[in-house]
Amino acid sequence: MRVAAIVPAAGAGKRLKSKTPKAFVNVQGKPLLIRALRALGRGGKFHEFVVVVAKNEVASATRLLRRFRVRKFKVVPGGATRAESVWKGLQAVSKGSDWILVHDAARPLVSKDLVVGLLKAAKLTGGAICGMPIQATVKRVNLKSRIIEKTEDRAELYLAQTPQVFRKDLLIARYQKLGRSAFTGTDEAALFDGTSVNVRMVLGDSRNIKVTVPEDLALLEYLLLRGKR
Ligand code: C5P
């Protein structure tokens, strides 16, 4: 398995209410992006890291990755949505890689075991993602009338996380088939909904949080401190 890791980091992080783009926010001395890359690196031997950032951040991200001695990386400009950013990253992946692992820069605590488990699971069917079972009760609501239509069976529902792993040829084929409509999905696995490719769900990790709102930074600090003990 020759795996390229694509790390989308081109989001503005509006919900984080920070002036710095989310991936570059420092937490205990290291930017989220660096933490995510190092955590991934502990889980596998990657052929290359393709980091996707906003166009005006390409030069500063390149300097940052050099400063933190990240090896075998490329930095490319992203798109208007996460899915478009991943597509741009895909185009920068070298011919030598045959598998793609996509991981959010905003998830700095991905574990080695999760990466290893995902790569193993993906090998079986061509694709695997991780996710968490839902603890809450989930209602489907008519957004106009605010009337509840149905209570979903939560036993069948998972909250998707990253990493998400796919055979490169399968992923490219789905982007090509769907065209611009591929850019609206909020994860890569959605590209395979209703297709003959069976994307397997691997049990995720509650520590694998996505930093989205300011409270998540406080939680991350807590998890980092606890992890050191
Ligand atoms: O916005 P959200 O937190 O869901 O973004 C998930 C990941 O996708 C983040 O790491 C973010 O930087 C990235 N992203 C991107 N390009 C966009 C929007 C988000 O690479 N246009």
Side-chain angles (χ1 to χ4, degrees):
M1 256 178 139
R2 282 169 61 102
V3 190
I6 297 179
V7 178
K14 278 192 196 133
R15 289 164 291 177
L16 199 59
K17 298 191 177 93
S18 145
K19 275 193 199 135
T20 317
K22 181 159 74 179
F24 303 99
V25 169
N26 253 297
V27 179
Q28 292 177 17
K30 281 185 217 99
L32 291 180
L33 171 62
I34 298 294
R35 289 192 174 278
L37 289 170
R38 288 194 175 166
L40 277 183
R42 284 192 279 275
K45 210 170 167 289
F46 291 94
H47 190 51
E48 60 192 333
F49 291 99
V50 178
V51 177
V52 192
V53 300
K55 212 173 165 187
N56 59 340
E57 302 287 347
V58 171
S60 57
T62 304
R63 280 197 299 275
L64 184 80
L65 297 185
R66 284 201 188 118
R67 179 147 65 85
F68 281 93
R69 308 203 182 286
V70 177
R71 290 189 304 136
K72 296 184 289 184
F73 73 85
K74 287 177 187 155
V75 179
V76 298
T81 64
R82 176 212 148 84
E84 188 176 6
S85 292
V86 172
W87 174 236
K88 294 205 166 175
L90 253 178
Q91 285 161 72
V93 168
S94 67
K95 286 210 170 71
S97 309
D98 48 6
W99 288 84
I100 302 292
L101 175 146
V102 181
H103 183 60
D104 290 338
R107 292 187 188 270
L109 291 182
V110 57
S111 73
K112 174 181 173 189
D113 288 353
L114 193 51
V115 174
V116 171
L118 276 163
L119 293 173
K120 214 168 150 189
K123 244 181 166 175
L124 302 174
T125 61
I129 76 166
C130 53
M132 293 303 288
I134 291 191
Q135 319 286 355
T137 298
V138 181
K139 305 290 187 186
R140 180 170 298 279
V141 176
N142 180 313
L143 292 180
K144 259 197 183 147
S145 65
R146 313 293 301 167
I147 305 287
I148 293 167
E149 288 173 346
K150 159 169 207 264
T151 303
E152 300 288 351
D153 178 5
R154 68 181 176 197
E156 289 187 354
L157 298 175
Y158 278 73
L159 294 172
Q161 299 183 335
T162 69
Q164 304 202 348
V165 182
F166 305 94
R167 239 172 60 198
K168 184 173 83 176
D169 57 335
L170 297 176
L171 192 57
I172 290 178
R174 284 313 288 163
Y175 267 107
Q176 284 173 341
K177 170 104 192 162
L178 293 169
R180 291 201 68 79
S181 68
F183 295 162
T184 54
T186 48
D187 78 345
E188 287 56 63
L191 297 166
F192 295 96
D193 287 352
T195 71
S196 59
V197 178
N198 294 321
V199 179
R200 191 180 279 247
M201 177 62 82
V202 169
L203 184 62
D205 179 356
S206 57
R207 276 177 54 91
N208 185 22
I209 58 165
K210 188 174 82 162
V211 174
T212 308
V213 293
E215 292 74 21
D216 296 329
L217 283 177
L219 176 59
L220 174 60
E221 302 236 9
Y222 167 77
L223 290 171
L224 282 169
L225 287 174
R226 206 181 59 168
K228 276 182 193 142
R229 255 188 267 143

